[in-house]
Amino acid sequence: MMNRLILPAARIAAAIAVFVAPFGYAITGDHADVLMGVGGGIGVGVGVVFRGGSRSRPWIGVLIGSIVGMAIALFAGGLSGDRWGLIGPSTMALAVGLVVGLERASISGYRDVTRETFIVAVLLTLGFFPAHVASGILLAVRESGFFSLYTLILVLPVFLTPWVALPAGLLSHRREGWRDRRPPLLLILGVAALTAGFALMMATGVLVEGRGHSGLSLALAIGYSLGIVGLVLPVGAFLLGRSAITWLQPRLGVYGHLADYLRVMWVPIGGFAVGYLTIIVLFAGFYGMLERFSPGAFSGVESGAGITDWLSFSFFTALGQDFLTVSPDSVGAKMLVGVHLILSAGWVVVLFAAVMTSIGPKLERIARRQGVD
């Protein structure tokens, strides 16, 4: 049982990491920021697939996890200073929007939205754990005591559950099958308590935004943080996530059946690659031999050019592209390049025709079977 869970989870996590990690390092060199994006994306992506059971395809988890992870990396790497006020509610609302927007998501009331928001919050909290270790937040909690701002950062997604769930429910109550007319009083009280708590922390200087402010400037700072940062950005992120997954899911659904086609195409694709690489290696030897026995047949050849140079030239020639430095100069070299191009193009045409003739009936059976399903 565990093996059937661990292996799919590892595949989904690896796919998300492949997408998110390079994106994160393209933004920042901070390992903790990249870990935050990768961990958060993996937590949400894997959780979406396993919560959906057989209804959820792995590619849905990879898609949602990659979007969430990239958003977290973008916020974490693109901002400086106190970033948690933006990273927490915005990326959490984006993740909730992606989950709520799924075609098969069973969301029919505020209780369902609150449940999904809490689950996303827990998944993000667990996903952020490696980043907290790398950034030293866990050590700061140990040194400053449990009741500190660092402890709030550790559990911030869970802490923000009512704040994200209420606007998510208000923006979803018009969907078909929605059974609640009004949000629960407990959810409203939770948002009010969070609002009062954040305002108090800002007024007392616990949060960075409250330092150095007094009177009107403090009121404006609190209004800006609770209005723009705490409401407008999460609402926009939720709507963006819900719209994105609603638009993408039916268009990317074809990838859910891609494995069936790849099983049929795998052997022909491998045969094509072997033949194509054989032609490249063969002509790389011809080019090097011609230049050795007829110096000057190719212009731009550096002294001591080896097989790697000729393999590169042969590869680009097979693709019909000009190499950056080497080009045929003599008549013999031009004829050799021409023969190479003819053989490469002919190999593509002939093999494609042979493959389609042999596997065409199999592809038709797969299409009929998926049409029935």
Side-chain angles (χ1 to χ4, degrees):
M1 180 64 179
M2 289 299 296
N3 291 334
R4 287 186 294 177
L5 295 177
I6 293 175
L7 186 57
R11 290 175 178 172
I12 296 170
I16 294 173
V18 167
F19 282 103
V20 177
F23 183 84
Y25 279 116
I27 298 171
T28 177
D30 192 328
H31 302 307
D33 290 343
V34 178
L35 276 175
M36 191 183 306
V38 174
I42 290 175
V44 174
V46 173
V48 165
V49 174
F50 283 110
R51 288 207 67 245
S54 58
R55 299 178 303 171
S56 295
R57 300 278 185 171
W59 67 267
I60 294 180
V62 174
L63 175 64
I64 292 179
S66 298
I67 294 175
V68 172
M70 289 180 179
I72 294 172
L74 184 62
F75 274 111
L79 300 174
S80 58
D82 183 16
R83 306 163 298 172
W84 288 101
L86 288 172
I87 296 174
S90 299
T91 56
M92 184 174 167
L94 175 67
V96 173
L98 291 167
V99 172
V100 171
L102 290 174
E103 289 182 354
R104 299 181 178 179
S106 56
I107 307 296
S108 59
Y110 286 97
R111 180 177 298 180
D112 297 331
V113 172
T114 304
R115 182 192 65 238
E116 296 298 328
T117 304
F118 177 75
I119 292 172
V120 168
V122 172
L123 294 173
L124 284 175
T125 301
L126 295 176
F128 288 161
F129 187 80
H132 291 325
V133 175
S135 61
I137 290 181
L138 288 179
L139 181 61
V141 171
R142 185 182 304 173
E143 293 177 350
S144 60
F146 183 78
F147 297 99
S148 65
L149 181 61
Y150 297 107
T151 305
L152 175 62
I153 293 175
L154 287 178
V155 296
L156 184 61
V158 176
F159 199 68
L160 292 173
T161 296
W163 201 325
V164 175
L166 180 60
L170 293 173
L171 293 170
S172 304
H173 76 281
R174 293 184 179 275
R175 67 186 294 165
E176 185 178 356
W178 192 268
R179 61 175 182 267
D180 295 332
R181 292 185 177 181
R182 298 176 182 177
L185 179 60
L186 188 61
L187 186 60
I188 297 176
L189 292 176
V191 174
L194 283 175
T195 304
F198 280 122
L200 180 63
M201 286 189 288
M202 292 178 64
T204 56
V206 175
L207 298 179
V208 175
E209 290 86 346
R211 296 175 184 173
H213 294 285
S214 60
L216 180 60
S217 62
L218 177 60
L220 291 175
I222 294 175
Y224 172 81
S225 297
L226 296 180
I228 302 298
V229 179
L231 180 61
V232 175
L233 288 181
V235 166
F238 174 83
L239 292 175
L240 177 62
R242 190 180 64 180
S243 301
I245 198 64
T246 302
W247 188 86
L248 286 172
Q249 189 175 359
R251 289 161 178 81
L252 298 181
V254 65
Y255 293 108
H257 302 294
L258 188 59
D260 295 332
Y261 291 98
L262 287 178
R263 292 189 190 99
V264 176
M265 294 290 294
W266 182 248
V267 173
I269 290 174
F272 169 79
V274 170
Y276 210 67
L277 291 175
T278 300
I279 295 174
I280 290 174
V281 173
L282 178 64
F283 276 86
F286 287 159
Y287 294 139
M289 182 178 65
L290 179 62
E291 177 64 25
R292 184 173 297 276
F293 287 101
S294 180
F298 295 89
S299 60
V301 179
E302 299 180 358
S303 59
I307 188 61
T308 55
D309 300 289
W310 295 116
L311 284 172
S312 300
F313 175 72
S314 181
F315 177 78
F316 278 90
T317 301
L319 297 177
Q321 302 293 322
D322 294 332
F323 195 56
L324 296 178
T325 56
V326 180
S327 61
D329 197 19
S330 68
V331 176
K334 293 177 180 179
M335 291 180 61
L336 190 59
V337 169
V339 173
H340 187 185
L341 287 172
I342 292 173
L343 285 178
S344 297
W347 177 255
V348 173
V349 173
V350 172
L351 189 66
F352 179 78
V355 167
M356 293 309 297
T357 301
S358 62
I359 70 172
K362 298 179 181 179
L363 297 179
E364 291 178 1
R365 286 196 296 269
I366 294 174
R368 286 196 299 270
R369 185 173 65 249
Q370 293 177 356
V372 173
D373 295 340

